[in-house]
């Protein structure tokens, strides 16, 4: 596996805060990896997503994606970079209620004036991976929360960005909808080789990833790797790690 994203010694200082939001954080994300980010509230997860996705800039340090130095992009370049390279899945689905599922997934391709055939093919491929192929003519209001989130995930991936940021994507879902989404994300990660960086509080969601970085007070405090193990074995280790961290509080 080659490196997709290099995070080198990034620090984010908020003038109003006594402690940095991120404090000398370094790690690599490999091409095709499904990486989990965990940590208590206030540990720096959102700050990390914001600086990696060019929504905010670090105070120091560097972030490279392939040959692009992300922190050196001006606002316009950053917007183009996000459009060309990144997909986002949030806890809220942010679907457009007046568009059908098909139109919601296709919207970024439509804006690029892609041909109808190409759009249909790309939408169908993702709709099948996310188990929503039979819902394409419906409107978001006719879907369950789990189905809406899978539409949002398909929309994030339709332009095939090399990197997807998922911020608590299962946060609003019941357990069976969460399982369906996580299963589909793993499938897309493996089938299309899309790299996914997912922030989550949920050990069960984290058990679908390849590796987890744990944050506390803006630092990385530990790392767990799945290493070809069964998801259930990884889940047990995540629960042990949660108990270990709880003791150290
Ligand atoms: N815009 C901001 N201005 C000032 N301080 C901020 C800002 N954003 C985050 N912080 C501070 O930086 C630290 C890290 O916050 P961050 O939101 O990144 O944590 P988090 O792990 O995402 O928390 P949560 O799980 O609650 O979303 C906290 O101390 C927070 O108060």
């Amino acid at each position: 596996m080659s490196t997709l994203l290099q995070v080198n010694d990034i620090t984010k200082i908020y003038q109003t805060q006594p402690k940095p939001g991120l404090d000398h954080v370094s790690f690599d994300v490999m091409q095709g990896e499904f990486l989990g980010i965990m940590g208590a509230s206030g540990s720096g997860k959102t700050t990390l997503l914001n600086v990696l996705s060019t929504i905010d800039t670090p105070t120091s340090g560097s972030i490279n994606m392939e040959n692009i130095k992300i922190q050196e992009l001006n606002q316009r370049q950053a917007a183009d970079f996000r459009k060309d390279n990144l997909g986002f899945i949030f806890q809220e689905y942010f679907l457009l209620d007046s568009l059908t599922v098909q139109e919601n997934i296709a919207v970024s391709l439509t804006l690029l004036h892609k041909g109808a055939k190409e759009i249909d093919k790309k939408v169908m491929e993702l709709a099948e991976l996310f188990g929503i192929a039979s819902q394409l003519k419906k409107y978001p209001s006719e879907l369950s929360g789990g189905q809406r989130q899978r539409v949002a995930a398909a929309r994030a991936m339709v332009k095939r960005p090399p990197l997807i940021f998922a911020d608590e994507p299962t946060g609003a879902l019941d357990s069976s909808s969460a399982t369906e989404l996580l299963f589909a994300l793993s499938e897309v990660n493996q089938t299309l080789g899309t790299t996914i960086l997912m922030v989550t509080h949920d050990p069960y969601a984290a058990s679908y990833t390849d590796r987890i970085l744990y944050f506390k007070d803006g630092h990385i405090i530990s790392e767990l790797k799945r290493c070809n193990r069964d998801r259930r074995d990884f889940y047990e280790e995540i629960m042990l790690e949660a108990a270990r961290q709880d003791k150290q509080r």
Side-chain angles (χ1 to χ4, degrees), residues 37-182:
I37 304 288
M38 296 192 84
S41 186
S43 59
K45 305 179 301 294
T46 306
T47 304
L48 178 74
L49 276 198
N50 287 346
V51 298
L52 295 186
S53 61
T54 74
I55 288 161
D56 203 351
T57 48
T59 310
S60 62
S62 65
I63 305 160
N64 298 342
M65 183 156 151
E66 298 183 311
N67 291 324
I68 304 168
K69 292 186 170 62
I70 290 180
Q71 79 286 354
E72 290 178 7
L73 302 175
N74 64 31
Q75 268 197 0
R76 197 192 161 145
Q77 290 167 328
D80 284 344
F81 171 81
R82 284 197 294 275
K83 205 160 50 137
D84 295 341
N85 293 285
L86 307 180
F88 294 90
I89 308 170
F90 302 99
Q91 183 169 326
E92 309 292 328
Y93 325 119
F94 298 122
L95 299 177
L96 298 164
D97 291 337
S98 57
L99 300 185
T100 64
V101 167
Q102 147 87 28
E103 289 162 346
N104 264 285
I105 299 174
V107 81
S108 62
L109 298 176
T110 312
L111 290 173
L112 287 174
H113 304 292
K114 298 281 179 195
K117 259 196 182 159
E118 182 187 345
I119 293 180
D120 285 352
K121 187 167 166 259
K122 287 189 166 155
V123 169
M124 186 47 88
E125 182 184 18
L126 282 163
E128 277 172 357
L129 278 167
F130 281 100
I132 44 174
S134 58
Q135 315 293 324
L136 289 174
K137 291 201 162 57
K138 292 189 180 164
Y139 287 86
S141 60
E142 299 174 274
L143 304 183
S144 68
Q147 287 170 328
R148 283 183 217 180
Q149 187 59 308
R150 282 181 278 138
V151 175
R155 177 191 55 188
M157 293 184 179
V158 78
K159 282 204 310 187
R160 295 287 193 87
L163 180 57
I164 294 282
F165 290 109
D167 191 2
E168 295 283 359
T170 58
L173 303 182
D174 61 56
S175 65
S176 70
S177 301
T179 300
E180 281 170 353
L181 177 74
L182 291 161

Side-chain angles (χ1 to χ4, degrees), residues 210-223:
D210 300 320
R211 179 165 68 110
I212 303 166
L213 298 176
Y214 288 89
F215 279 74
K216 187 181 176 189
D217 300 331
H219 301 280
I220 296 175
I221 53 160
S222 60
E223 178 183 29

Side-chain angles (χ1 to χ4, degrees), residues 34-38 170 178-179 182-183 186 189-190 198-212 214 224-239:
F34 190 174
L35 179 68
I37 304 288
M38 296 192 84
T170 58
T179 300
L182 291 161
F183 199 80
S186 310
N189 166 249
Q190 280 160 29
M198 176 173 76
V199 167
T200 183
H201 281 107
D202 177 12
Y204 174 74
S207 71
Y208 280 80
T209 67
D210 300 320
R211 179 165 68 110
I212 303 166
Y214 288 89
L224 290 185
K225 291 182 181 169
R226 181 157 158 193
C227 300
N228 297 324
R229 275 179 296 169
D230 183 73
R231 190 196 61 75
R232 288 186 201 89
D233 294 341
F234 193 36
Y235 178 70
E236 276 178 25
E237 193 185 352
I238 295 167
M239 295 308 284

